[in-house]
Amino acid sequence: MSKIRIRDFQKNKENPFLKQAIEQIQSGIVKKYKNTSGTSKGAILQAINSDGELVGHTSFVRQIEVDEEQFTKLYLSQFSAFFDLKPSAIRVFGYIMKMLVPKKDEFAFFLEDCLEYTGYKSHKSVHEGLAELLESKIIARGRSEYFYFINPMIAFNGDRVTFAKTYIKSKQNAKAKVDPNQLDLIDQIDEIENGG
């Protein structure tokens, strides 16, 4: 049986897990509703008759999308991906978790730093661990040997719903010209919805 090698896996300019991840994230989004009663008077529509008396009022209900697995780094639904990993892959994955930047799906990989983190003396153990993580589809190669992509359905540092929306928005922006003021408004709405 031949050993798997890192170079057996293709390099990618974009995260190859994204299309499937966005579909799964969108299907797993829970829609919650927030009533604005008890909030500012500007959020309440009042009905006043011709005598100036209040005859009724209504408040608006805002739909908020929430990822129930929000702020979790390892997702239990995908935990089985780790069951058959060898210790070298688990140790290398520990280093990868340390390298993840919030809300990013790409991470930098530095062999010497990984050796120090894992305690391995030889590059071979790290390369075997990386190759196994690639084969298990936990990570994918990036555009060079220093960059890799994490599978956001298995591990992600941040809110996957916001990440998916950002990715979709950036893809749409590449196709059509958008007034920069519209993007500012979209960003402000996202911040309000995410409690920012």
Side-chain angles (χ1 to χ4, degrees):
M1 184 170 150
S2 65
K3 290 211 174 228
I4 52 170
R5 297 170 301 189
I6 295 169
R7 67 174 175 244
D8 293 340
F9 298 89
Q10 72 179 24
K11 289 182 180 179
N12 299 282
K13 289 184 178 180
E14 290 185 340
N15 189 328
F17 306 118
L18 277 180
K19 183 178 180 193
Q20 180 184 6
I22 288 171
E23 289 170 3
Q24 287 182 22
I25 288 167
Q26 287 176 334
S27 69
I29 286 174
V30 176
K31 300 205 184 294
K32 295 199 174 182
Y33 297 89
K34 183 181 274 188
N35 192 324
T36 60
S37 62
T39 62
S40 71
K41 289 193 175 190
I44 298 173
L45 180 63
Q46 297 180 334
I48 299 174
N49 67 16
S50 59
D51 295 330
E53 297 173 334
L54 179 65
V55 293
H57 69 275
T58 185
S59 61
F60 296 96
V61 175
R62 203 164 48 114
Q63 179 177 298
I64 302 171
E65 294 176 345
V66 178
D67 180 354
E68 288 296 329
E69 297 175 287
Q70 194 171 15
F71 306 117
T72 304
K73 286 194 177 184
L74 289 176
Y75 299 102
L76 295 177
S77 63
Q78 303 295 323
F79 194 67
S80 61
F82 295 92
F83 287 176
D84 297 322
L85 293 180
K86 294 178 186 152
S88 61
I90 302 264
R91 283 189 183 191
V92 170
F93 185 72
Y95 167 75
I96 289 168
M97 293 293 286
K98 180 182 161 210
M99 298 306 294
L100 290 180
V101 175
K103 301 179 183 177
K104 299 281 184 193
D105 64 330
E106 187 177 40
F107 61 93
F109 187 89
F110 302 106
L111 184 59
E112 297 304 319
D113 291 350
C114 186
L115 284 168
E116 184 179 325
Y117 178 88
T118 59
Y120 288 130
K121 304 292 182 219
S122 121
H123 294 191
K124 180 181 176 192
S125 298
V126 171
H127 287 139
E128 286 175 356
L130 269 176
E132 193 172 354
L133 291 170
L134 288 163
E135 184 177 47
S136 299
K137 298 193 182 328
I138 294 171
I139 63 172
R141 289 181 76 190
R143 57 191 183 271
S144 76
E145 70 262 22
Y146 301 108
F147 290 98
Y148 288 82
F149 292 105
I150 191 76
N151 184 338
M153 294 313 298
I154 292 175
F156 191 68
N157 189 356
D159 177 354
R160 293 185 302 180
V161 169
T162 303
F163 172 74
K165 283 182 174 179
T166 302
Y167 183 79
I168 291 168
K169 186 168 62 172
S170 68
K171 279 300 214 185
Q172 289 171 343
N173 290 346
K175 292 179 184 173
K177 283 193 170 187
V178 178
D179 181 348
N181 296 328
Q182 289 176 322
L183 292 179
D184 288 342
L185 180 61
I186 291 168
D187 290 338
Q188 289 171 6
I189 291 169
D190 282 346
E191 282 181 36
I192 291 167
E193 288 180 348
N194 292 315

